[in-house]
Amino acid sequence: MADSLRNVEAFVFDVFGTVVDWRGSVSSALRELNPNLDEDWVAFTDEWRQGYYRTTRNIAGGGGGSTNVDVIHRELLNEMLKTERWTHLDDQWDDQHRKKLCLLWHNLNGWPDTTKGLYALKKKAIIGTLSNGSARLLLDMAKHADIPWDIIFSGDILNSYKPNPKMYLGAAERLSLTPDKVAMVAAHIYDLRAAAGHGMKTVYVRRPTEDVDQQDSVKPKSEGGEVDVVVSSFVELAELL
Amino acid sequence: MADSLRNVEAFVFDVFGTVVDWRGSVSSALRELNPNLDEDWVAFTDEWRQGYYRTTRNIAGGGGGSTNVDVIHRELLNEMLKTERWTHLDDQWDDQHRKKLCLLWHNLNGWPDTTKGLYALKKKAIIGTLSNGSARLLLDMAKHADIPWDIIFSGDILNSYKPNPKMYLGAAERLSLTPDKVAMVAAHIYDLRAAAGHGMKTVYVRRPTEDVDQQDSVKPKSEGGEVDVVVSSFVELAELL
């Protein structure tokens, strides 16, 4: 039993990478939707995702920009298709096709343990998203991947982006919980550092696509590290409680 | 098939009275928690509920006050216990007991059709709350009554109270839908009139505790009335789709 999680009443989850496999889901769908094109769709997906990450970090830090994830994905896609590597696709993808591609980010598949682990956790605590995605994207994804969230906290519900404090403190406030009774679950150490900075408990999940160079060095406090718990799946997390 | 609901992608629900039986749930719990008192707990519950309704209407109209439902219930309870009818209870209920009584409003039971009807609807459309309750209260209630909401819209998520326009338009915006693709479901005609005023579709549900003097006169547009659909249960609504 994880002592440090004993008083936790709610678990809030980062979604992209932590709950769903964005790289596998989007790159496979790009391949299916463009059967005549022979591209490195994993590289395409990674670049798109990097752009999203850059944009939301900028907004979280006070920069301007849309908080609608579809708008951001569309702007990034248009920009990518003007760069040397992908410009040959610019003429081939019309407005309708680009819209369809942006919506791929709504239908990402969970990791193999996601559905089973979250149903188990839901029986023991409140579970919700705490994601930079939009509410609509997160609920579409929950329906697609069979995820039984109790509540959705998103960029457009809390009017900011992680790691802005408004996200962590706003979620705890709406849960009527002090931050120490809420655990942030993420595959990104930056997210957990911000959550811990506001008094939340922290659960680090190792995922193959996330924090690739850092994840082996993340340790629980019981081993001298900085997070409360490290797990490799949500099933493992549910069993700890 | 209800033609007027053909393009609806999301149903948002009033909760108190529409989804859950507040009168039966709270009055029964009051009786159980105060076994030595012989009071008219239904009358007590009705008065408490009327106070809540009055308070939220006042705030929706621009008046000041807390948007935390627990705080409001506590203030109202304290006020009631200073009135002639209930003052004999004032000395008997200490702080801890009053806290417990206020939390009764988190654990209301659904109507007999609620769980079955909402599971069926969830397969066909997005379902969410659009309630003046707080997020925490609504999620506690969903766990208690087994309600699989896709999303929770509450007073403290949208920062207002119905019938303020921010509630209806804010929900549609976060669903990335134009209001005509969202249907408001309620047992209160005032709520549906406000929703229709912002372009939403309307589903009126007849419930024994709500709109008692008015519900028989509410008719669908097909019969010259003002709402899109009138039903007596959520199972009936799911079957219309």
Side-chain angles (χ1 to χ4, degrees), chain A residues 109-123:
Chain A
N109 303 319
W111 295 106
D113 56 284
T114 291
T115 298
K116 186 180 171 196
L118 291 178
Y119 272 90
L121 267 165
K122 186 185 168 93
K123 289 183 189 155

Side-chain angles (χ1 to χ4, degrees), chain B residues 163-204:
Chain B
N164 190 295
K166 274 170 124 180
M167 296 293 285
Y168 306 95
L169 298 174
E173 186 186 346
R174 284 166 185 81
L175 290 168
S176 299
L177 293 173
T178 50
D180 60 309
K181 292 189 173 166
V182 182
M184 180 80 216
V185 184
H188 310 116
I189 192 68
Y190 88 88
D191 200 351
L192 298 185
R193 281 182 187 139
H198 299 296
M200 281 185 177
K201 301 293 180 183
T202 51
V203 177
Y204 189 77

Side-chain angles (χ1 to χ4, degrees), chain A residues 9 68 70 121-127 134-137 139-140 142-143 147 149-153 156-159 173-177, chain B residues 9 68 70 121-127 134-137 139-140 142-143 147 149-153 156-159 173-177:
Chain A
E9 294 182 33
N68 183 302
D70 299 323
L121 267 165
K122 186 185 168 93
K123 289 183 189 155
K124 301 179 178 185
I126 294 166
I127 58 169
S134 67
R136 176 59 189 266
L137 174 144
L139 81 81
D140 285 346
K143 275 177 167 326
I147 301 173
W149 299 124
D150 291 311
I151 189 151
I152 287 180
F153 293 121
D156 61 346
I157 291 279
L158 296 172
N159 300 313
E173 186 186 345
R174 285 165 185 82
L175 290 168
S176 299
L177 292 173
Chain B
E9 293 181 34
N68 183 302
D70 299 323
L121 268 165
K122 187 184 168 92
K123 288 184 189 156
K124 300 179 177 184
I126 294 166
I127 58 170
S134 68
R136 177 59 190 266
L137 175 144
L139 81 80
D140 284 345
K143 275 177 165 331
I147 301 173
W149 300 123
D150 290 312
I151 188 152
I152 286 180
F153 294 122
D156 61 345
I157 291 280
L158 296 172
N159 299 314
E173 186 186 346
R174 284 166 185 81
L175 290 168
S176 299
L177 293 173

